[in-house]
Amino acid sequence: MPARALNWALHDGIAVVTLDLPGEPVNKISRAVKDEFNATFATLERDPAVRAVAFFSGKPDNFIAGADIEEFVRLTSAPEAERLVADGQEMLDRVARCTKPVAVGIHGACLGGGFEFALACHYRVATDHPKTQLGLPEVQLGILPAAGGCQRLPRLVGMRAALDMILAGKVEHAQRAFRAGMVDELVPPPILKDVTLAAATRMAGGWRPRRRRPGGVMGWLLDGNPLGRRLVFRMARRQVLEQTRGNYPAPLAALEAVATGLAHGIPAGSKREAELFGRLAVTDVSRKLVQIFFATTQLKKDFGVPDPPPPVEVHRLGIVGTGFMGSGIAGTAVTQAVVDVRLKDADLARVAQGLRAAREIVDDRLRRRRITKHEHQRLVALLSGGDGYVGFRRAELVIEAVFEDLTVKQRVLREIEAVVGERAVFASNTSTIPITRIAAVAARPERVIGMHFFSPVPRMPLLEVIPGEHTAPWAVSTAVSFGRRMGKTAIVVRDRPGFWINRILGPYMNEAAHLLLAGAAIEEIDRQMVRFGFPVGPLTLLDEVGLDVAEKAGGVLHAAFGERFAPPPAVASLVRVGRFGRKAGQGFYRYARGKKGGADPAVYELIGIRPNGGLRPAEILQRLVFAMLNEAARAVGEGVVRSSRDGDIGAIFGIGFPPFRGGPLRHLDDLGAARAVSELERLAERCGPRFVPCDVLREQASRGTRFYP
Ligand code: 3HC
């Protein structure tokens, strides 16, 4: 007999049920677990000694992570998927209808089907611990909450709050969930069990919780009548379409399931939920999003070196350079990793500015109510700075974010080596300069590494970690592990110019400029890439990155890889007149008071062209996409990323490559190497040798191989 996941014992008439899936780090609801739930709840209902139920997780930091996603991967047809969730619904209906009241004590992640289970219970107590998070992230996997989530949540918290969570796949900290009415009581972890038991006992005695009307007066007005509901749904639908541009069907399906349930009752809503789940679970979009989930999960454990040595634990972080990147790293390190941060710059005015910017990131967390006032004070106190290296001696990690210039970076490295201890790692936040070159002047090159953050640091989820030729494995695991503490997904990449992200961006950005010179309009170029699924187009991205910065990076790539990377003159003409992009208030677009305006016609004059409408949208799209795909394949051939997985996750998290396409390498696999090669050959003929297909793709085409097995 396999070990049981659900066990229970009776305490003064209360059945204390514990879910602890043997041999697994988290609880998840598989077919087998469902069977156990059904059998256990049937026994509890029958047993006259049981007056109420108190339910807990046996895992230290996890409640229930949802339905078992591994089971979705094995689904082969829509009817099979529909049956799978219909069984789950039946199980939760049994809990909801249980004649004995059920109280649930939640500590740790309570997500997807786990949260839907909690919603089916009659009373919810949650701990106020940061690890306790509740939510319905299903749409992030291309499916919808289909175990009653689209039915029970709107009834509990009101339609607008429920849609807000369901349509965005949001996960909330317990405090916010409590404020929204998703849990009934919020308690410190040591008393979770007692409080939940007390609630179960009270309910056994006939007491029932009285909950306020969901959504207040407005909720009553809108939720309670068909006209109000129609208005809310219409607005939600418009918002979803604006955000997904029709590329992600799951949020619209969820909206439909909620609408059906509110109009025709829970049974009809649940039936629709199951049907829609069936359809979505076997779509290509859902498969791609599930692959991304498993790839990111694997990356959480991957240190990028074989047999990784234990990382040095970082208590104090030194940062040299207090500009936008330095202060961004400082603020993020304080809020996410809760370490002591010491900033250094050449003069105190700059240090003050950097500290202010870092503090702004902490303040933002308070404004968004992610932290309490007390935590805010504690975090702000972790930030300090000066114009010398005072306070750097104890730092286990120092990150430099100074001007992108080899000599400056080498000077900083030598200064740092003179003050820090033996086991301190020196990381450069360079975006293009090879780490081995920076480390050439180091007394201990084994502890020099690259940590390439993306801008804006608090928001961008990717970190490229770049070991130089002599970097020691312990320095790699230290950088990766600290990046993870900062909340980043880290990929370890090879020390080649541009690393991975800028390498694949380079030809793409250049192609945008080529298109502009060939007469394509600014908005049209951007529109095509947004249509493809990028959050913004290449010219908007150039404005965000800064044209001056991009020009410099482009120069490094051109010098390293030759003609293929030759920048068309468009960007240089704009840089010459100070059109650096958003930060200068003008680039390809106009900016007023921080807001992006329309494309600026002055750009055409400056680069001496006139948009002529001569390029078809399909051609614009093809040239941009293939410029990136070809370079990505070539870089994989050079071992720039350790695996296709890292390459795809990097592109999705680093530049917003459309997740529903799975990343550039998965996309190439979907197209097929033979087709990619013939498209590239056609483009090379028309536009020049920069499109000549790389060897990797040619070889794949001739051997019939691919990036993924
Ligand atoms: N199904 C299958 N495996 C899961 C899982 C799930 N729902 N959640 C986590 N796991 C696995 C991970 O793949 C990983 O496996 P491994 O050890 O073999 O690599 C292991 O559990 C540990 O996970 P993490 O490394 O991610 O652990 P963390 O502590 O960092 O994070 C977590 C825990 C916050 C729960 C995170 O794993 C997570 O976000 N999980 C997914 C949550 C989710 O999307 N749930 C919705 C599922 S769909 C659903 O419920 C449909 C329903 O509406 C019908």
Side-chain angles (χ1 to χ4, degrees):
M1 279 280 285
R4 289 174 59 89
L6 267 184
N7 289 291
W8 66 279
L10 202 60
H11 293 280
D12 297 332
I14 309 298
V16 176
V17 183
T18 310
L19 173 65
D20 191 350
L21 200 57
E24 294 286 343
V26 301
N27 282 326
K28 47 197 178 179
I29 304 178
S30 61
R31 281 193 171 96
V33 170
K34 257 181 252 169
D35 290 344
E36 278 197 49
F37 263 87
N38 282 328
T40 306
F41 274 88
T43 312
L44 297 175
E45 284 219 73
R46 271 198 313 268
D47 190 334
V50 174
R51 293 165 52 231
V53 179
F55 187 100
F56 302 96
S57 157
K59 304 286 180 209
D61 283 326
N62 170 266
F63 180 68
I64 303 176
D68 186 348
I69 303 169
E70 307 244 14
E71 284 186 345
F72 301 168
V73 181
R74 294 192 288 271
L75 292 168
T76 53
S77 72
E80 192 193 348
E82 188 179 330
R83 245 187 340 268
L84 181 77
V85 289
D87 289 348
Q89 291 180 347
E90 213 176 291
M91 165 196 129
L92 295 190
D93 284 347
R94 155 167 247 144
V95 174
R97 283 195 323 261
C98 184
T99 48
K100 320 272 171 82
V102 185
V104 62
I106 303 163
H107 175 71
C110 172
L111 304 176
F115 185 39
E116 290 173 300
F117 164 70
L119 290 171
C121 296
H122 308 118
Y123 196 76
R124 287 161 290 280
V125 185
T127 67
D128 56 7
H129 193 275
K131 287 217 165 156
T132 303
Q133 301 196 340
L134 301 97
L136 296 171
E138 281 88 342
V139 297
Q140 313 267 11
L141 299 170
I143 50 174
L144 77 164
C150 293
Q151 312 308 318
R152 293 195 176 95
L153 191 60
R155 284 173 172 81
L156 183 67
V157 298
M159 197 166 56
R160 282 169 310 148
L163 289 178
D164 189 42
M165 172 170 268
I166 294 170
L167 302 185
K170 261 195 204 162
V171 171
E172 299 282 17
H173 281 287
Q175 271 100 341
R176 280 171 83 106
F178 171 66
R179 272 200 299 273
M182 292 173 195
V183 293
D184 297 294
E185 260 183 278
L186 194 63
V187 299
I191 59 168
L192 175 70
K193 196 158 184 188
D194 288 349
V195 173
T196 312
L197 273 168
T201 312
R202 281 202 308 278
M203 288 197 290
W207 172 85
R208 288 293 175 269
R210 288 171 63 118
R211 299 186 176 107
R212 54 193 156 102
R213 199 200 307 276
V217 179
M218 199 62 171
W220 175 72
L221 277 173
L222 291 171
D223 295 16
N225 73 79
L227 265 178
R229 288 202 296 265
R230 211 175 308 150
L231 184 73
V232 174
F233 286 129
R234 202 178 315 135
M235 277 166 57
R237 193 181 160 78
R238 195 180 316 140
Q239 208 177 347
V240 165
L241 283 173
E242 241 169 56
Q243 279 161 3
T244 63
R245 295 187 177 87
N247 291 325
Y248 298 87
L252 287 181
L255 198 57
E256 191 187 329
V258 173
T260 308
L262 289 176
H264 306 291
I266 290 189
S270 302
K271 187 162 176 292
R272 194 71 193 124
E273 247 179 49
E275 283 163 5
L276 290 164
F277 178 92
R279 273 193 226 158
L280 290 174
V282 291
T283 53
D284 186 56
V285 173
S286 175
R287 299 270 192 237
K288 293 273 171 20
L289 298 179
V290 167
Q291 279 156 358
I292 294 172
F293 167 73
F294 283 118
T296 1
T297 306
Q298 282 173 8
L299 269 167
K300 287 189 204 167
K301 300 183 196 83
D302 187 342
F303 284 88
V305 276
D307 302 322
V312 173
E313 203 172 317
V314 178
H315 302 284
R316 170 166 290 202
L317 170 70
I319 297 177
V320 188
T322 57
F324 192 55
M325 287 310 280
S327 56
I329 297 169
T332 312
V334 161
T335 48
Q336 300 292 329
V338 195
V339 285
D340 231 343
V341 173
R342 184 82 191 161
L343 283 160
K344 138 93 172 85
D345 211 321
D347 60 69
L348 287 174
R350 278 194 227 175
V351 176
Q353 203 181 356
L355 283 170
R356 254 196 312 275
R359 189 194 154 129
E360 180 53 38
I361 295 168
V362 190
D363 292 350
D364 187 57
R365 305 276 299 167
L366 179 67
R367 261 196 307 274
R368 289 169 189 270
R369 302 218 209 167
R370 299 285 181 214
I371 49 173
T372 61
K373 276 192 185 142
H374 174 71
E375 284 164 332
H376 174 261
Q377 275 174 358
R378 198 164 70 90
L379 295 180
V380 168
L382 292 173
L383 285 166
S384 67
D387 55 1
Y389 287 111
V390 179
F392 274 64
R393 197 175 46 80
R394 278 200 297 116
E396 295 90 356
L397 173 65
V398 175
I399 302 177
E400 71 74 16
V402 297
F403 189 61
E404 191 76 352
D405 178 277
L406 180 63
T407 355
V408 181
K409 288 188 187 287
Q410 287 182 331
R411 181 170 46 77
V412 171
L413 165 60
R414 274 196 300 256
E415 286 171 5
I416 293 294
E417 281 199 316
V419 285
V420 295
E422 296 246 317
R423 291 273 287 175
V425 172
F426 175 89
S428 170
N429 178 47
T430 175
S431 51
T432 41
I433 306 175
I435 302 304
T436 310
R437 283 182 70 193
I438 299 177
V441 299
R444 292 206 177 81
E446 70 275 11
R447 59 181 181 174
V448 179
I449 196 162
M451 283 177 85
H452 180 210
F453 290 90
F454 293 81
S455 169
V457 181
R459 287 225 312 273
M460 294 300 287
L462 186 72
L463 169 70
E464 284 183 308
V465 171
I466 312 109
E469 216 172 280
H470 305 289
T471 309
W474 63 265
V476 180
S477 44
T478 300
V480 169
S481 136
F482 189 71
R484 237 168 247 159
R485 278 177 65 196
M486 283 179 68
K488 305 299 172 201
T489 294
I491 56 170
V492 175
V493 300
R494 203 175 145 203
D495 192 15
R496 302 271 294 145
F499 315 128
W500 169 247
I501 294 300
N502 282 339
R503 171 80 180 270
I504 65 173
L505 263 185
Y508 170 76
M509 300 284 215
N510 278 352
E511 201 52 37
H514 280 298
L515 286 163
L516 199 60
L517 290 171
I522 296 171
E523 298 98 322
E524 184 60 17
I525 293 174
D526 277 351
R527 193 177 311 129
Q528 290 314 317
M529 291 328 287
V530 171
R531 229 189 73 199
F532 182 75
F534 277 97
V536 296
L539 300 177
T540 301
L541 186 60
L542 271 167
D543 271 2
E544 294 294 333
V545 170
L547 271 67
D548 50 337
V549 175
E551 190 192 28
K552 211 164 170 125
V556 173
L557 292 167
H558 185 200
F561 300 112
E563 261 327 270
R564 193 171 84 241
F565 274 83
V571 172
S573 320
L574 300 183
V575 170
R576 250 196 313 278
V577 295
R579 282 188 168 259
F580 296 157
R582 182 188 278 277
K583 63 186 170 190
Q586 50 171 6
F588 291 102
Y589 292 84
R590 290 201 198 95
Y591 299 85
R593 273 170 265 112
K595 275 216 149 93
K596 184 176 163 210
D600 193 342
V603 170
Y604 301 119
E605 255 171 62
L606 279 165
I607 59 179
I609 51 124
R610 220 176 252 254
N612 54 29
L615 287 162
R616 282 177 302 113
E619 177 164 359
I620 296 178
L621 188 135
Q622 211 189 23
R623 279 172 59 172
L624 286 165
V625 172
F626 274 99
M628 180 181 283
L629 295 184
N630 199 22
E631 198 57 33
R634 193 186 325 260
V636 168
E638 291 170 21
V640 172
V641 280
R642 290 176 312 126
S643 63
S644 306
R645 174 203 70 188
D646 286 12
D648 280 338
I649 293 296
I652 292 167
F653 288 3
I655 49 175
F657 194 96
F660 73 95
R661 298 188 190 273
L665 307 170
R666 280 228 188 255
H667 189 51
L668 272 168
D669 274 358
D670 283 350
L671 292 171
R675 178 170 158 208
V677 166
S678 78
E679 299 275 0
L680 281 162
E681 278 170 344
R682 202 181 54 79
L683 285 170
E685 228 165 75
R686 290 185 35 195
C687 310
R690 63 182 184 280
F691 279 107
V692 168
C694 68
D695 292 345
V696 171
L697 288 175
R698 280 194 196 284
E699 205 175 301
Q700 284 190 352
S702 72
R703 292 190 183 182
T705 53
R706 15 187 307 125
F707 290 102
Y708 288 90

